mmCIF file with all atom_site columns, all heavy atoms in Angstrom:
data_model
loop_
_atom_site.group_PDB
_atom_site.id
_atom_site.type_symbol
_atom_site.label_atom_id
_atom_site.label_alt_id
_atom_site.label_comp_id
_atom_site.label_asym_id
_atom_site.label_entity_id
_atom_site.label_seq_id
_atom_site.pdbx_PDB_ins_code
_atom_site.Cartn_x
_atom_site.Cartn_y
_atom_site.Cartn_z
_atom_site.occupancy
_atom_site.B_iso_or_equiv
_atom_site.pdbx_formal_charge
_atom_site.auth_seq_id
_atom_site.auth_comp_id
_atom_site.auth_asym_id
_atom_site.auth_atom_id
_atom_site.pdbx_PDB_model_num
ATOM 1   N N   . LYS A 1 1  ? -272.759 -94.825  -214.598 1.00 85.00 ? 296 LYS A N   1
ATOM 2   C CA  . LYS A 1 1  ? -274.223 -94.863  -214.508 1.00 85.00 ? 296 LYS A CA  1
ATOM 3   C C   . LYS A 1 1  ? -274.819 -96.131  -215.106 1.00 85.00 ? 296 LYS A C   1
ATOM 4   O O   . LYS A 1 1  ? -275.830 -96.618  -214.620 1.00 85.00 ? 296 LYS A O   1
ATOM 5   C CB  . LYS A 1 1  ? -274.829 -93.621  -215.143 1.00 85.00 ? 296 LYS A CB  1
ATOM 6   C CG  . LYS A 1 1  ? -274.839 -93.596  -216.640 1.00 85.00 ? 296 LYS A CG  1
ATOM 7   C CD  . LYS A 1 1  ? -275.570 -92.375  -217.152 1.00 85.00 ? 296 LYS A CD  1
ATOM 8   C CE  . LYS A 1 1  ? -275.776 -92.523  -218.647 1.00 85.00 ? 296 LYS A CE  1
ATOM 9   N NZ  . LYS A 1 1  ? -276.595 -91.484  -219.195 1.00 85.00 ? 296 LYS A NZ  1
ATOM 10  N N   . ASP A 1 2  ? -274.191 -96.693  -216.134 1.00 90.00 ? 297 ASP A N   1
ATOM 11  C CA  . ASP A 1 2  ? -274.745 -97.903  -216.744 1.00 90.00 ? 297 ASP A CA  1
ATOM 12  C C   . ASP A 1 2  ? -274.757 -99.066  -215.756 1.00 90.00 ? 297 ASP A C   1
ATOM 13  O O   . ASP A 1 2  ? -275.735 -99.813  -215.677 1.00 90.00 ? 297 ASP A O   1
ATOM 14  C CB  . ASP A 1 2  ? -273.960 -98.279  -218.003 1.00 90.00 ? 297 ASP A CB  1
ATOM 15  C CG  . ASP A 1 2  ? -274.147 -97.270  -219.129 1.00 90.00 ? 297 ASP A CG  1
ATOM 16  O OD1 . ASP A 1 2  ? -275.183 -96.574  -219.141 1.00 90.00 ? 297 ASP A OD1 1
ATOM 17  O OD2 . ASP A 1 2  ? -273.248 -97.179  -219.997 1.00 90.00 ? 297 ASP A OD2 1
ATOM 18  N N   . THR A 1 3  ? -273.686 -99.207  -215.009 1.00 91.00 ? 298 THR A N   1
ATOM 19  C CA  . THR A 1 3  ? -273.603 -100.274 -214.016 1.00 91.00 ? 298 THR A CA  1
ATOM 20  C C   . THR A 1 3  ? -274.650 -100.068 -212.931 1.00 91.00 ? 298 THR A C   1
ATOM 21  O O   . THR A 1 3  ? -275.368 -100.996 -212.552 1.00 91.00 ? 298 THR A O   1
ATOM 22  C CB  . THR A 1 3  ? -272.191 -100.331 -213.391 1.00 91.00 ? 298 THR A CB  1
ATOM 23  O OG1 . THR A 1 3  ? -271.238 -100.540 -214.425 1.00 91.00 ? 298 THR A OG1 1
ATOM 24  C CG2 . THR A 1 3  ? -272.086 -101.434 -212.360 1.00 91.00 ? 298 THR A CG2 1
ATOM 25  N N   . VAL A 1 4  ? -274.744 -98.842  -212.432 1.00 91.00 ? 299 VAL A N   1
ATOM 26  C CA  . VAL A 1 4  ? -275.702 -98.542  -211.372 1.00 91.00 ? 299 VAL A CA  1
ATOM 27  C C   . VAL A 1 4  ? -277.130 -98.727  -211.877 1.00 91.00 ? 299 VAL A C   1
ATOM 28  O O   . VAL A 1 4  ? -277.975 -99.288  -211.175 1.00 91.00 ? 299 VAL A O   1
ATOM 29  C CB  . VAL A 1 4  ? -275.484 -97.118  -210.813 1.00 91.00 ? 299 VAL A CB  1
ATOM 30  C CG1 . VAL A 1 4  ? -276.599 -96.731  -209.857 1.00 91.00 ? 299 VAL A CG1 1
ATOM 31  C CG2 . VAL A 1 4  ? -274.138 -97.030  -210.121 1.00 91.00 ? 299 VAL A CG2 1
ATOM 32  N N   . GLN A 1 5  ? -277.396 -98.301  -213.081 1.00 90.00 ? 300 GLN A N   1
ATOM 33  C CA  . GLN A 1 5  ? -278.747 -98.450  -213.623 1.00 90.00 ? 300 GLN A CA  1
ATOM 34  C C   . GLN A 1 5  ? -279.093 -99.920  -213.851 1.00 90.00 ? 300 GLN A C   1
ATOM 35  O O   . GLN A 1 5  ? -280.234 -100.329 -213.636 1.00 90.00 ? 300 GLN A O   1
ATOM 36  C CB  . GLN A 1 5  ? -278.910 -97.631  -214.898 1.00 90.00 ? 300 GLN A CB  1
ATOM 37  C CG  . GLN A 1 5  ? -278.999 -96.151  -214.602 1.00 90.00 ? 300 GLN A CG  1
ATOM 38  C CD  . GLN A 1 5  ? -279.132 -95.289  -215.845 1.00 90.00 ? 300 GLN A CD  1
ATOM 39  O OE1 . GLN A 1 5  ? -278.576 -95.592  -216.901 1.00 90.00 ? 300 GLN A OE1 1
ATOM 40  N NE2 . GLN A 1 5  ? -279.869 -94.197  -215.697 1.00 90.00 ? 300 GLN A NE2 1
ATOM 41  N N   . ALA A 1 6  ? -278.116 -100.736 -214.242 1.00 94.00 ? 301 ALA A N   1
ATOM 42  C CA  . ALA A 1 6  ? -278.357 -102.175 -214.410 1.00 94.00 ? 301 ALA A CA  1
ATOM 43  C C   . ALA A 1 6  ? -278.669 -102.811 -213.052 1.00 94.00 ? 301 ALA A C   1
ATOM 44  O O   . ALA A 1 6  ? -279.594 -103.629 -212.936 1.00 94.00 ? 301 ALA A O   1
ATOM 45  C CB  . ALA A 1 6  ? -277.156 -102.849 -215.053 1.00 94.00 ? 301 ALA A CB  1
ATOM 46  N N   . ILE A 1 7  ? -277.914 -102.432 -212.040 1.00 94.00 ? 302 ILE A N   1
ATOM 47  C CA  . ILE A 1 7  ? -278.181 -102.929 -210.686 1.00 94.00 ? 302 ILE A CA  1
ATOM 48  C C   . ILE A 1 7  ? -279.572 -102.480 -210.249 1.00 94.00 ? 302 ILE A C   1
ATOM 49  O O   . ILE A 1 7  ? -280.351 -103.269 -209.704 1.00 94.00 ? 302 ILE A O   1
ATOM 50  C CB  . ILE A 1 7  ? -277.098 -102.434 -209.694 1.00 94.00 ? 302 ILE A CB  1
ATOM 51  C CG1 . ILE A 1 7  ? -275.747 -103.075 -210.013 1.00 94.00 ? 302 ILE A CG1 1
ATOM 52  C CG2 . ILE A 1 7  ? -277.516 -102.711 -208.250 1.00 94.00 ? 302 ILE A CG2 1
ATOM 53  C CD1 . ILE A 1 7  ? -274.573 -102.464 -209.274 1.00 94.00 ? 302 ILE A CD1 1
ATOM 54  N N   . GLY A 1 8  ? -279.880 -101.216 -210.502 1.00 93.00 ? 303 GLY A N   1
ATOM 55  C CA  . GLY A 1 8  ? -281.184 -100.673 -210.135 1.00 93.00 ? 303 GLY A CA  1
ATOM 56  C C   . GLY A 1 8  ? -282.329 -101.369 -210.836 1.00 93.00 ? 303 GLY A C   1
ATOM 57  O O   . GLY A 1 8  ? -283.357 -101.666 -210.220 1.00 93.00 ? 303 GLY A O   1
ATOM 58  N N   . GLN A 1 9  ? -282.164 -101.654 -212.118 1.00 95.00 ? 304 GLN A N   1
ATOM 59  C CA  . GLN A 1 9  ? -283.226 -102.316 -212.876 1.00 95.00 ? 304 GLN A CA  1
ATOM 60  C C   . GLN A 1 9  ? -283.458 -103.731 -212.347 1.00 95.00 ? 304 GLN A C   1
ATOM 61  O O   . GLN A 1 9  ? -284.598 -104.145 -212.141 1.00 95.00 ? 304 GLN A O   1
ATOM 62  C CB  . GLN A 1 9  ? -282.882 -102.356 -214.362 1.00 95.00 ? 304 GLN A CB  1
ATOM 63  C CG  . GLN A 1 9  ? -283.959 -102.988 -215.212 1.00 95.00 ? 304 GLN A CG  1
ATOM 64  C CD  . GLN A 1 9  ? -283.642 -102.942 -216.693 1.00 95.00 ? 304 GLN A CD  1
ATOM 65  O OE1 . GLN A 1 9  ? -282.659 -102.353 -217.127 1.00 95.00 ? 304 GLN A OE1 1
ATOM 66  N NE2 . GLN A 1 9  ? -284.473 -103.578 -217.487 1.00 95.00 ? 304 GLN A NE2 1
ATOM 67  N N   . HIS A 1 10 ? -282.377 -104.471 -212.119 1.00 96.00 ? 305 HIS A N   1
ATOM 68  C CA  . HIS A 1 10 ? -282.503 -105.828 -211.591 1.00 96.00 ? 305 HIS A CA  1
ATOM 69  C C   . HIS A 1 10 ? -283.148 -105.803 -210.203 1.00 96.00 ? 305 HIS A C   1
ATOM 70  O O   . HIS A 1 10 ? -284.031 -106.611 -209.896 1.00 96.00 ? 305 HIS A O   1
ATOM 71  C CB  . HIS A 1 10 ? -281.132 -106.507 -211.541 1.00 96.00 ? 305 HIS A CB  1
ATOM 72  C CG  . HIS A 1 10 ? -281.181 -107.907 -211.025 1.00 96.00 ? 305 HIS A CG  1
ATOM 73  N ND1 . HIS A 1 10 ? -281.763 -108.934 -211.729 1.00 96.00 ? 305 HIS A ND1 1
ATOM 74  C CD2 . HIS A 1 10 ? -280.752 -108.438 -209.859 1.00 96.00 ? 305 HIS A CD2 1
ATOM 75  C CE1 . HIS A 1 10 ? -281.684 -110.046 -211.019 1.00 96.00 ? 305 HIS A CE1 1
ATOM 76  N NE2 . HIS A 1 10 ? -281.064 -109.769 -209.868 1.00 96.00 ? 305 HIS A NE2 1
ATOM 77  N N   . ASN A 1 11 ? -282.708 -104.863 -209.383 1.00 96.00 ? 306 ASN A N   1
ATOM 78  C CA  . ASN A 1 11 ? -283.265 -104.718 -208.043 1.00 96.00 ? 306 ASN A CA  1
ATOM 79  C C   . ASN A 1 11 ? -284.757 -104.406 -208.110 1.00 96.00 ? 306 ASN A C   1
ATOM 80  O O   . ASN A 1 11 ? -285.545 -104.959 -207.334 1.00 96.00 ? 306 ASN A O   1
ATOM 81  C CB  . ASN A 1 11 ? -282.517 -103.617 -207.287 1.00 96.00 ? 306 ASN A CB  1
ATOM 82  C CG  . ASN A 1 11 ? -282.956 -103.494 -205.859 1.00 96.00 ? 306 ASN A CG  1
ATOM 83  O OD1 . ASN A 1 11 ? -282.662 -104.349 -205.044 1.00 96.00 ? 306 ASN A OD1 1
ATOM 84  N ND2 . ASN A 1 11 ? -283.683 -102.426 -205.553 1.00 96.00 ? 306 ASN A ND2 1
ATOM 85  N N   . GLN A 1 12 ? -285.158 -103.536 -209.033 1.00 95.00 ? 307 GLN A N   1
ATOM 86  C CA  . GLN A 1 12 ? -286.571 -103.161 -209.158 1.00 95.00 ? 307 GLN A CA  1
ATOM 87  C C   . GLN A 1 12 ? -287.421 -104.362 -209.564 1.00 95.00 ? 307 GLN A C   1
ATOM 88  O O   . GLN A 1 12 ? -288.539 -104.527 -209.069 1.00 95.00 ? 307 GLN A O   1
ATOM 89  C CB  . GLN A 1 12 ? -286.741 -102.024 -210.158 1.00 95.00 ? 307 GLN A CB  1
ATOM 90  C CG  . GLN A 1 12 ? -288.139 -101.446 -210.171 1.00 95.00 ? 307 GLN A CG  1
ATOM 91  C CD  . GLN A 1 12 ? -288.516 -100.821 -208.834 1.00 95.00 ? 307 GLN A CD  1
ATOM 92  O OE1 . GLN A 1 12 ? -287.773 -100.012 -208.295 1.00 95.00 ? 307 GLN A OE1 1
ATOM 93  N NE2 . GLN A 1 12 ? -289.662 -101.197 -208.296 1.00 95.00 ? 307 GLN A NE2 1
ATOM 94  N N   . GLU A 1 13 ? -286.883 -105.216 -210.433 1.00 97.00 ? 308 GLU A N   1
ATOM 95  C CA  . GLU A 1 13 ? -287.619 -106.422 -210.838 1.00 97.00 ? 308 GLU A CA  1
ATOM 96  C C   . GLU A 1 13 ? -287.851 -107.337 -209.636 1.00 97.00 ? 308 GLU A C   1
ATOM 97  O O   . GLU A 1 13 ? -288.952 -107.866 -209.451 1.00 97.00 ? 308 GLU A O   1
ATOM 98  C CB  . GLU A 1 13 ? -286.855 -107.162 -211.934 1.00 97.00 ? 308 GLU A CB  1
ATOM 99  C CG  . GLU A 1 13 ? -286.833 -106.426 -213.252 1.00 97.00 ? 308 GLU A CG  1
ATOM 100 C CD  . GLU A 1 13 ? -285.836 -106.984 -214.253 1.00 97.00 ? 308 GLU A CD  1
ATOM 101 O OE1 . GLU A 1 13 ? -285.192 -108.020 -213.962 1.00 97.00 ? 308 GLU A OE1 1
ATOM 102 O OE2 . GLU A 1 13 ? -285.694 -106.376 -215.334 1.00 97.00 ? 308 GLU A OE2 1
ATOM 103 N N   . ILE A 1 14 ? -286.823 -107.505 -208.816 1.00 96.00 ? 309 ILE A N   1
ATOM 104 C CA  . ILE A 1 14 ? -286.958 -108.332 -207.616 1.00 96.00 ? 309 ILE A CA  1
ATOM 105 C C   . ILE A 1 14 ? -287.948 -107.689 -206.648 1.00 96.00 ? 309 ILE A C   1
ATOM 106 O O   . ILE A 1 14 ? -288.835 -108.368 -206.113 1.00 96.00 ? 309 ILE A O   1
ATOM 107 C CB  . ILE A 1 14 ? -285.588 -108.534 -206.941 1.00 96.00 ? 309 ILE A CB  1
ATOM 108 C CG1 . ILE A 1 14 ? -284.682 -109.374 -207.832 1.00 96.00 ? 309 ILE A CG1 1
ATOM 109 C CG2 . ILE A 1 14 ? -285.754 -109.180 -205.564 1.00 96.00 ? 309 ILE A CG2 1
ATOM 110 C CD1 . ILE A 1 14 ? -283.238 -109.428 -207.385 1.00 96.00 ? 309 ILE A CD1 1
ATOM 111 N N   . LEU A 1 15 ? -287.811 -106.397 -206.445 1.00 95.00 ? 310 LEU A N   1
ATOM 112 C CA  . LEU A 1 15 ? -288.697 -105.667 -205.540 1.00 95.00 ? 310 LEU A CA  1
ATOM 113 C C   . LEU A 1 15 ? -290.148 -105.765 -205.992 1.00 95.00 ? 310 LEU A C   1
ATOM 114 O O   . LEU A 1 15 ? -291.046 -106.014 -205.178 1.00 95.00 ? 310 LEU A O   1
ATOM 115 C CB  . LEU A 1 15 ? -288.238 -104.210 -205.452 1.00 95.00 ? 310 LEU A CB  1
ATOM 116 C CG  . LEU A 1 15 ? -288.772 -103.327 -204.344 1.00 95.00 ? 310 LEU A CG  1
ATOM 117 C CD1 . LEU A 1 15 ? -288.606 -103.965 -202.978 1.00 95.00 ? 310 LEU A CD1 1
ATOM 118 C CD2 . LEU A 1 15 ? -288.071 -101.982 -204.372 1.00 95.00 ? 310 LEU A CD2 1
ATOM 119 N N   . ASP A 1 16 ? -290.390 -105.612 -207.279 1.00 95.00 ? 311 ASP A N   1
ATOM 120 C CA  . ASP A 1 16 ? -291.758 -105.728 -207.803 1.00 95.00 ? 311 ASP A CA  1
ATOM 121 C C   . ASP A 1 16 ? -292.337 -107.115 -207.529 1.00 95.00 ? 311 ASP A C   1
ATOM 122 O O   . ASP A 1 16 ? -293.503 -107.251 -207.146 1.00 95.00 ? 311 ASP A O   1
ATOM 123 C CB  . ASP A 1 16 ? -291.795 -105.431 -209.299 1.00 95.00 ? 311 ASP A CB  1
ATOM 124 C CG  . ASP A 1 16 ? -291.559 -103.971 -209.627 1.00 95.00 ? 311 ASP A CG  1
ATOM 125 O OD1 . ASP A 1 16 ? -291.656 -103.120 -208.716 1.00 95.00 ? 311 ASP A OD1 1
ATOM 126 O OD2 . ASP A 1 16 ? -291.249 -103.674 -210.804 1.00 95.00 ? 311 ASP A OD2 1
ATOM 127 N N   . GLY A 1 17 ? -291.530 -108.153 -207.736 1.00 96.00 ? 312 GLY A N   1
ATOM 128 C CA  . GLY A 1 17 ? -291.981 -109.519 -207.465 1.00 96.00 ? 312 GLY A CA  1
ATOM 129 C C   . GLY A 1 17 ? -292.303 -109.729 -205.991 1.00 96.00 ? 312 GLY A C   1
ATOM 130 O O   . GLY A 1 17 ? -293.314 -110.358 -205.642 1.00 96.00 ? 312 GLY A O   1
ATOM 131 N N   . LEU A 1 18 ? -291.449 -109.198 -205.126 1.00 96.00 ? 313 LEU A N   1
ATOM 132 C CA  . LEU A 1 18 ? -291.700 -109.324 -203.690 1.00 96.00 ? 313 LEU A CA  1
ATOM 133 C C   . LEU A 1 18 ? -292.946 -108.561 -203.261 1.00 96.00 ? 313 LEU A C   1
ATOM 134 O O   . LEU A 1 18 ? -293.708 -109.030 -202.405 1.00 96.00 ? 313 LEU A O   1
ATOM 135 C CB  . LEU A 1 18 ? -290.478 -108.835 -202.897 1.00 96.00 ? 313 LEU A CB  1
ATOM 136 C CG  . LEU A 1 18 ? -289.252 -109.746 -202.948 1.00 96.00 ? 313 LEU A CG  1
ATOM 137 C CD1 . LEU A 1 18 ? -288.051 -109.054 -202.337 1.00 96.00 ? 313 LEU A CD1 1
ATOM 138 C CD2 . LEU A 1 18 ? -289.525 -111.080 -202.263 1.00 96.00 ? 313 LEU A CD2 1
ATOM 139 N N   . LEU A 1 19 ? -293.173 -107.404 -203.858 1.00 94.00 ? 314 LEU A N   1
ATOM 140 C CA  . LEU A 1 19 ? -294.383 -106.644 -203.539 1.00 94.00 ? 314 LEU A CA  1
ATOM 141 C C   . LEU A 1 19 ? -295.630 -107.411 -203.958 1.00 94.00 ? 314 LEU A C   1
ATOM 142 O O   . LEU A 1 19 ? -296.641 -107.407 -203.240 1.00 94.00 ? 314 LEU A O   1
ATOM 143 C CB  . LEU A 1 19 ? -294.337 -105.261 -204.186 1.00 94.00 ? 314 LEU A CB  1
ATOM 144 C CG  . LEU A 1 19 ? -293.331 -104.294 -203.557 1.00 94.00 ? 314 LEU A CG  1
ATOM 145 C CD1 . LEU A 1 19 ? -293.111 -103.079 -204.452 1.00 94.00 ? 314 LEU A CD1 1
ATOM 146 C CD2 . LEU A 1 19 ? -293.775 -103.877 -202.163 1.00 94.00 ? 314 LEU A CD2 1
ATOM 147 N N   . ARG A 1 20 ? -295.564 -108.104 -205.094 1.00 95.00 ? 315 ARG A N   1
ATOM 148 C CA  . ARG A 1 20 ? -296.695 -108.944 -205.511 1.00 95.00 ? 315 ARG A CA  1
ATOM 149 C C   . ARG A 1 20 ? -296.903 -110.087 -204.518 1.00 95.00 ? 315 ARG A C   1
ATOM 150 O O   . ARG A 1 20 ? -298.037 -110.406 -204.149 1.00 95.00 ? 315 ARG A O   1
ATOM 151 C CB  . ARG A 1 20 ? -296.482 -109.476 -206.926 1.00 95.00 ? 315 ARG A CB  1
ATOM 152 C CG  . ARG A 1 20 ? -296.720 -108.435 -208.010 1.00 95.00 ? 315 ARG A CG  1
ATOM 153 C CD  . ARG A 1 20 ? -296.741 -109.045 -209.409 1.00 95.00 ? 315 ARG A CD  1
ATOM 154 N NE  . ARG A 1 20 ? -295.472 -109.624 -209.796 1.00 95.00 ? 315 ARG A NE  1
ATOM 155 C CZ  . ARG A 1 20 ? -294.451 -108.949 -210.332 1.00 95.00 ? 315 ARG A CZ  1
ATOM 156 N NH1 . ARG A 1 20 ? -294.573 -107.655 -210.549 1.00 95.00 ? 315 ARG A NH1 1
ATOM 157 N NH2 . ARG A 1 20 ? -293.331 -109.566 -210.673 1.00 95.00 ? 315 ARG A NH2 1
ATOM 158 N N   . GLU A 1 21 ? -295.796 -110.703 -204.079 1.00 96.00 ? 316 GLU A N   1
ATOM 159 C CA  . GLU A 1 21 ? -295.887 -111.778 -203.078 1.00 96.00 ? 316 GLU A CA  1
ATOM 160 C C   . GLU A 1 21 ? -296.528 -111.269 -201.790 1.00 96.00 ? 316 GLU A C   1
ATOM 161 O O   . GLU A 1 21 ? -297.351 -111.957 -201.184 1.00 96.00 ? 316 GLU A O   1
ATOM 162 C CB  . GLU A 1 21 ? -294.505 -112.334 -202.741 1.00 96.00 ? 316 GLU A CB  1
ATOM 163 C CG  . GLU A 1 21 ? -293.939 -113.294 -203.745 1.00 96.00 ? 316 GLU A CG  1
ATOM 164 C CD  . GLU A 1 21 ? -292.606 -113.861 -203.265 1.00 96.00 ? 316 GLU A CD  1
ATOM 165 O OE1 . GLU A 1 21 ? -292.528 -114.351 -202.113 1.00 96.00 ? 316 GLU A OE1 1
ATOM 166 O OE2 . GLU A 1 21 ? -291.641 -113.807 -204.051 1.00 96.00 ? 316 GLU A OE2 1
ATOM 167 N N   . ALA A 1 22 ? -296.127 -110.087 -201.371 1.00 95.00 ? 317 ALA A N   1
ATOM 168 C CA  . ALA A 1 22 ? -296.697 -109.511 -200.147 1.00 95.00 ? 317 ALA A CA  1
ATOM 169 C C   . ALA A 1 22 ? -298.191 -109.264 -200.322 1.00 95.00 ? 317 ALA A C   1
ATOM 170 O O   . ALA A 1 22 ? -298.977 -109.551 -199.403 1.00 95.00 ? 317 ALA A O   1
ATOM 171 C CB  . ALA A 1 22 ? -295.974 -108.215 -199.776 1.00 95.00 ? 317 ALA A CB  1
ATOM 172 N N   . ASP A 1 23 ? -298.590 -108.749 -201.483 1.00 93.00 ? 318 ASP A N   1
ATOM 173 C CA  . ASP A 1 23 ? -300.014 -108.516 -201.747 1.00 93.00 ? 318 ASP A CA  1
ATOM 174 C C   . ASP A 1 23 ? -300.809 -109.816 -201.635 1.00 93.00 ? 318 ASP A C   1
ATOM 175 O O   . ASP A 1 23 ? -301.880 -109.841 -201.028 1.00 93.00 ? 318 ASP A O   1
ATOM 176 C CB  . ASP A 1 23 ? -300.226 -107.901 -203.135 1.00 93.00 ? 318 ASP A CB  1
ATOM 177 C CG  . ASP A 1 23 ? -299.891 -106.428 -203.197 1.00 93.00 ? 318 ASP A CG  1
ATOM 178 O OD1 . ASP A 1 23 ? -299.796 -105.796 -202.119 1.00 93.00 ? 318 ASP A OD1 1
ATOM 179 O OD2 . ASP A 1 23 ? -299.709 -105.905 -204.322 1.00 93.00 ? 318 ASP A OD2 1
ATOM 180 N N   . VAL A 1 24 ? -300.274 -110.888 -202.222 1.00 96.00 ? 319 VAL A N   1
ATOM 181 C CA  . VAL A 1 24 ? -300.953 -112.184 -202.164 1.00 96.00 ? 319 VAL A CA  1
ATOM 182 C C   . VAL A 1 24 ? -301.060 -112.653 -200.712 1.00 96.00 ? 319 VAL A C   1
ATOM 183 O O   . VAL A 1 24 ? -302.111 -113.109 -200.272 1.00 96.00 ? 319 VAL A O   1
ATOM 184 C CB  . VAL A 1 24 ? -300.216 -113.227 -203.040 1.00 96.00 ? 319 VAL A CB  1
ATOM 185 C CG1 . VAL A 1 24 ? -300.732 -114.630 -202.786 1.00 96.00 ? 319 VAL A CG1 1
ATOM 186 C CG2 . VAL A 1 24 ? -300.342 -112.861 -204.518 1.00 96.00 ? 319 VAL A CG2 1
ATOM 187 N N   . ALA A 1 25 ? -299.969 -112.540 -199.973 1.00 96.00 ? 320 ALA A N   1
ATOM 188 C CA  . ALA A 1 25 ? -299.975 -112.989 -198.574 1.00 96.00 ? 320 ALA A CA  1
ATOM 189 C C   . ALA A 1 25 ? -300.963 -112.174 -197.743 1.00 96.00 ? 320 ALA A C   1
ATOM 190 O O   . ALA A 1 25 ? -301.723 -112.742 -196.947 1.00 96.00 ? 320 ALA A O   1
ATOM 191 C CB  . ALA A 1 25 ? -298.562 -112.893 -197.990 1.00 96.00 ? 320 ALA A CB  1
ATOM 192 N N   . PHE A 1 26 ? -300.960 -110.856 -197.917 1.00 94.00 ? 321 PHE A N   1
ATOM 193 C CA  . PHE A 1 26 ? -301.907 -110.032 -197.166 1.00 94.00 ? 321 PHE A CA  1
ATOM 194 C C   . PHE A 1 26 ? -303.345 -110.358 -197.557 1.00 94.00 ? 321 PHE A C   1
ATOM 195 O O   . PHE A 1 26 ? -304.222 -110.428 -196.704 1.00 94.00 ? 321 PHE A O   1
ATOM 196 C CB  . PHE A 1 26 ? -301.632 -108.537 -197.365 1.00 94.00 ? 321 PHE A CB  1
ATOM 197 C CG  . PHE A 1 26 ? -300.493 -108.011 -196.534 1.00 94.00 ? 321 PHE A CG  1
ATOM 198 C CD1 . PHE A 1 26 ? -299.390 -107.439 -197.145 1.00 94.00 ? 321 PHE A CD1 1
ATOM 199 C CD2 . PHE A 1 26 ? -300.530 -108.071 -195.145 1.00 94.00 ? 321 PHE A CD2 1
ATOM 200 C CE1 . PHE A 1 26 ? -298.338 -106.941 -196.387 1.00 94.00 ? 321 PHE A CE1 1
ATOM 201 C CE2 . PHE A 1 26 ? -299.492 -107.574 -194.378 1.00 94.00 ? 321 PHE A CE2 1
ATOM 202 C CZ  . PHE A 1 26 ? -298.382 -107.008 -194.991 1.00 94.00 ? 321 PHE A CZ  1
#
């Protein structure tokens, strides 16, 4: 679970940044 949660946390940070980028573009 630690490995999966680390992957998940990193992925969520990237996803959050992309969602902000999408908001700006829209």
Side-chain angles (χ1 to χ4, degrees):
K296 76 175 190 173
D297 292 335
T298 302
V299 172
Q300 287 179 326
I302 293 169
Q304 182 176 355
H305 181 69
N306 185 71
Q307 189 63 51
E308 291 167 4
I309 293 170
L310 194 52
D311 289 344
L313 288 170
L314 289 166
R315 284 190 296 275
E316 281 184 51
D318 283 343
V319 169
F321 281 120

